[in-house]
Amino acid sequence: MSQATTEKVHRGGFTATRVFGMELPKLFPDMEFTDDQTDGAAIVIEIPGAIGLRLSSLSKVILGAAKGGIKTAVVSWQSKQLVASLDMLTFWLTVEELAELRQLLIQENKERRKG
């Protein structure tokens, strides 16, 4: 019998767990899930804190999961006690936007130091 869930700790500062969608209401009883979210596979991303979080690693995991047919992502940010359920496209776009804003902030700081 195959394992229902697979968990992988990433060097990017988060843990990604692949679960069946029907397990989501049991794992997160306080959240409401639609039938589309509980149908098929989902990925649970657990982020312990912002320190050490690599957005590029997170983006790669999201793309890989989406290519594998996963449509739903549940993000659990443990230090802030936040849990959100998103479709994969929305989640990926959010991560990419944050990565771009971070790069722009780094560039702005470099420009200020130069002159």
Side-chain angles (χ1 to χ4, degrees), residues 13-94:
F14 60 93
T15 304
T17 308
R18 185 173 187 246
V19 298
F20 291 119
M22 63 186 139
E23 295 176 17
L24 291 176
K26 295 174 196 166
L27 293 172
F28 303 99
D30 296 339
M31 291 189 64
E32 302 261 337
F33 295 99
T34 64
D35 289 338
D36 290 338
Q37 291 174 325
T38 58
D39 186 31
I43 189 167
V44 177
I45 307 286
E46 295 178 3
I47 303 170
I51 296 174
L53 179 63
R54 292 186 188 165
L55 294 175
S56 60
S57 297
L58 185 56
S59 180
K60 288 177 186 175
V61 168
I62 296 167
L63 284 177
K67 287 180 184 177
I70 294 177
K71 298 177 186 171
T72 304
V74 178
V75 182
S76 172
W77 191 345
Q78 296 163 348
S79 66
K80 300 285 186 183
Q81 298 178 345
L82 296 172
V83 178
S85 175
L86 305 162
D87 65 279
M88 292 300 283
L89 178 61
T90 303
F91 186 40
W92 179 74
L93 289 172
T94 303

